[in-house]
Amino acid sequence: MISRARSLVVTTPNSCLFSSSPKPNRDSAILERLHHKDWLTPKEVTNLVNSLTHPSSALTLFNLYSSRKDYNPTEPFCTSLITKLAQAKLFDPIHTLLQRLKLDQNPQQRRHFSDEFFFTLIRVYAHVFNRIDRAVETLFDMPSFGSWPSTRTFNSVLNILVNAKLYEVAHEVYVAGPTRLGVEVDACSLNILIKGLCGCGKLEDAFKVFDEFPKMGCEPNLRTFSTLMHGLCERGMVDDAFGLLERMERSGVCADAVVFNILIGGLRKQGRVEEGKEMLERMMGKGCYPNESSYQEVLYGLLDAQRFCEARGVMERMVLKGFGPSFVSYKVMIKGLCKSNLVGDVDWALRQMVKQGFVPRMGMWKQIVKCVVSQETGSGCVSFDGILN
């Protein structure tokens, strides 16, 4: 399982890993404390780490501290050190620190680290260094440090794998979690698995997981239904998505703007523009206020259908509500209006576009100029001076 997510790791001697270089003067006084023979408590050393101005100085501090007789890498110290090393993008020293901590473990004097410590470490590996293999290894290595992962930490690894599209590894971790780590799977775990299955096109398997909710003592929530609806709409099964909406509402789960946006987007892809507009009104009837994406999906549908007058109405409505139509919306709108020789509407769309902070590109200007010069001169012409000033 871990080998699938593992990247090649080149080991380097500790002397190279912890080689120090001259540090900024601001941190010199802090590092000088570690050259003194006076005893330092773990709290004092942790404060020294947190006081460092430059994260790269943490490497020198660790090198000095680990050679002292009062070396005592407590969890607060390790958390602060890892945070600083991560800020300096120093991966190898973090790995070596963990290896040393593991060697320090013994039955007589076992050093325990909390789930929160490993949650932080896993996120550092995944998000700072993009080492998902280390994140997975750390999850399964937690018991050797006297710690067992919480469902939260377990779910964070699952989510990292799914977001990275490592669906097979995510499934293997999901299966191994309860047996090897004693993790209690919850609704969030199942939702992440459903997201992964939908992401790799295994919609039938996703619904099998959905059917497992009652057996696991879990209740499907808004995230569960919205993920499945998105999967259905992506496969063109919009009517099935609406059927799931009815099931969701019967179960007492209220739809939010995200759910409605998914359905409106699904209708738009099938060219069902009127139904998309009706869904926008239905939202407000249910006490769910449309957001910018709601209007944008309806707008795209109208533009796709070349219903430019209605599209203008939606644009005006968006602007009144403080929403900004996208650059693509204006681009498609102006292109369509130019083809229809609706010069007055081109004038309006161009002015609105500039007010929104968008800059027309050369291709768009060519379309506008071609539209204008093809018309007879008169009141219908676009006033470029007003737009450019």
Side-chain angles (χ1 to χ4, degrees):
M1 156 197 333
I2 296 173
S3 61
R4 297 193 187 185
R6 177 178 293 158
S7 303
L8 180 62
V9 179
V10 180
T11 56
T12 311
N14 289 346
S15 59
C16 294
L17 289 178
F18 299 111
S19 60
S20 59
S21 57
K23 293 296 178 293
N25 291 331
R26 294 182 182 181
D27 292 342
S28 297
I30 295 173
L31 297 174
E32 186 63 27
R33 289 283 306 277
L34 292 155
H35 288 287
H36 297 168
K37 293 184 178 181
D38 55 315
W39 194 270
L40 292 172
T41 66
K43 184 176 181 180
E44 288 175 320
V45 180
T46 302
N47 289 335
L48 291 177
V49 174
N50 292 331
S51 300
L52 292 172
T53 304
H54 295 268
S56 57
S57 300
L59 185 58
T60 303
L61 187 147
F62 179 50
N63 193 26
L64 293 170
Y65 184 46
S66 61
S67 64
R68 290 171 58 99
K69 291 183 179 181
D70 55 4
Y71 174 63
N72 184 12
T74 60
E75 180 175 323
F77 166 77
C78 291
T79 300
S80 296
L81 181 64
I82 288 171
T83 301
K84 289 290 184 181
L85 292 172
Q87 290 172 357
K89 300 296 190 292
L90 296 171
F91 171 81
D92 287 332
I94 295 177
H95 178 63
T96 302
L97 169 64
L98 268 292
Q99 293 302 109
R100 289 189 181 183
L101 292 175
K102 186 184 291 187
L103 291 174
D104 288 343
Q105 301 295 311
N106 60 76
Q108 289 75 28
Q109 192 176 5
R110 181 176 290 275
R111 190 186 303 278
H112 293 277
F113 289 85
S114 70
D115 171 77
E116 185 66 30
F117 170 78
F118 288 101
F119 179 81
T120 301
L121 179 61
I122 285 169
R123 291 181 65 83
V124 164
Y125 276 144
H127 300 305
V128 177
F129 297 107
N130 196 29
R131 289 298 302 269
I132 299 175
D133 59 318
R134 288 293 185 202
V136 177
E137 288 176 355
T138 300
L139 176 71
F140 285 94
D141 209 22
M142 285 177 63
S144 64
F145 290 89
S147 180
W148 294 87
S150 65
T151 303
R152 170 179 173 243
T153 299
F154 176 72
N155 287 344
S156 72
V157 174
L158 274 185
N159 200 49
I160 288 166
L161 290 168
V162 167
N163 288 339
K165 301 187 185 303
L166 297 170
Y167 301 122
E168 290 186 15
V169 181
H171 184 262
E172 292 175 10
V173 170
Y174 171 80
V175 172
T179 56
R180 287 180 54 183
L181 299 172
V183 175
E184 184 176 346
V185 172
D186 64 0
C188 183
S189 313
L190 297 174
N191 285 343
I192 294 169
L193 192 60
I194 287 174
K195 181 172 73 170
L197 291 168
C198 288
C200 63
K202 296 181 178 180
L203 196 57
E204 293 78 9
D205 290 334
F207 273 95
K208 288 179 182 178
V209 175
F210 179 62
D211 293 335
E212 291 293 316
F213 271 79
K215 301 174 186 178
M216 304 291 290
C218 301
E219 290 287 338
N221 53 29
L222 188 62
R223 179 63 61 85
T224 314
F225 287 104
S226 64
T227 303
L228 288 169
M229 286 179 198
H230 183 265
L232 289 167
C233 288
E234 285 293 302
R235 296 180 65 172
M237 303 168 66
V238 180
D239 292 328
D240 292 297
F242 274 95
L244 192 59
L245 173 65
E246 294 176 2
R247 180 175 174 179
M248 181 185 79
E249 291 176 335
R250 286 197 303 269
S251 66
V253 179
C254 296
D256 65 354
V258 173
V259 168
F260 283 109
N261 293 350
I262 290 170
L263 295 172
I264 294 172
L267 290 169
R268 172 209 161 196
K269 289 177 182 177
Q270 292 192 338
R272 297 159 68 174
V273 183
E274 282 301 322
E275 292 176 74
K277 290 176 63 180
E278 291 171 6
M279 183 59 63
L280 190 66
E281 301 302 325
R282 180 180 173 183
M283 288 177 66
M284 292 181 281
K286 288 182 172 290
C288 179
Y289 293 97
N291 57 24
E292 187 169 339
S293 297
S294 311
Y295 287 101
Q296 191 65 65
E297 284 293 342
V298 172
L299 176 59
Y300 281 140
L302 291 169
L303 292 172
D304 291 341
Q306 299 185 17
R307 294 162 62 170
F308 300 115
C309 290
E310 293 174 76
R312 172 173 175 169
V314 173
M315 279 186 165
E316 290 174 338
R317 196 169 169 185
M318 289 180 71
V319 172
L320 284 173
K321 290 183 175 294
F323 300 142
S326 68
F327 175 81
V328 174
S329 301
Y330 285 112
K331 179 180 177 181
V332 175
M333 181 79 161
I334 290 174
K335 181 179 180 180
L337 293 172
C338 287
K339 284 186 176 180
S340 302
N341 291 323
L342 299 172
V343 181
D345 290 316
V346 171
D347 182 24
W348 173 86
L350 187 59
R351 290 177 184 279
Q352 286 298 320
M353 181 180 180
V354 173
K355 285 181 181 179
Q356 294 294 320
F358 295 120
V359 178
R361 296 173 183 172
M362 184 58 67
M364 192 178 298
W365 279 119
K366 288 180 179 179
Q367 292 171 357
I368 295 169
V369 171
K370 184 178 180 180
C371 173
V372 173
V373 298
S374 67
Q375 301 295 306
E376 294 180 358
T377 58
S379 59
C381 291
V382 179
S383 175
F384 292 105
D385 291 338
I387 295 171
L388 295 173
N389 289 336

